[in-house]
Amino acid sequence: FPSHDIFGPKYRQFEESYQMVEAEGAFSARNPDEFILKFNMLSNIDFYNKASKTIKKYMADNRGATNKIFEYCKTILHQEEQNESAQT
């Protein structure tokens, strides 16, 4: 089973958290009452399954993101090295 996250109100600074909440695969609660409400919503099997499907899709769509970022950084570093070599 996928993990369903319930974040506090200050999750927007984390891109993955923000995207998951926007996609309705994770949830935000501003106070304890909202937390209990969201937690109880996840006990509904249809709601839980929909959120699970959303999380699985999000994870599949973003699989390999770390490698993509690393490769992009290598490209930028390589370009900088070429620029420095051209200047000397």
Side-chain angles (χ1 to χ4, degrees), residues 57-68:
K57 180 178 181 341
Y58 177 84
M59 293 176 76
D61 290 349
N62 290 284
R63 181 166 282 130
T66 300
N67 287 337
K68 291 175 188 174

Side-chain angles (χ1 to χ4, degrees), residues 8 10 17-19 21 25 28-29 35 41 43 45 50 56-57 59-61 64 67 70 74-75 77 79 81 84 88:
K10 297 181 180 179
S17 300
Y18 178 77
Q19 290 175 358
V21 170
S28 174
F35 177 84
M41 289 170 69
S43 68
I45 193 68
K50 181 180 179 204
K56 288 177 185 176
K57 180 178 181 341
M59 293 176 76
D61 290 349
N67 287 337
F70 183 69
K74 284 183 3 184
T75 301
L77 289 173
Q79 288 173 351
E81 289 173 351
E84 288 176 6
T88 57

Side-chain angles (χ1 to χ4, degrees), residues 34-57:
E34 278 191 13
F35 177 84
I36 291 169
L37 175 67
K38 302 291 170 107
F39 187 83
N40 287 336
M41 289 170 69
L42 286 167
S43 68
N44 175 296
I45 193 68
D46 292 330
F47 185 84
Y48 179 89
N49 286 340
K50 181 180 179 204
S52 294
K53 185 176 179 180
T54 300
I55 286 293
K56 288 177 185 176
K57 180 178 181 341

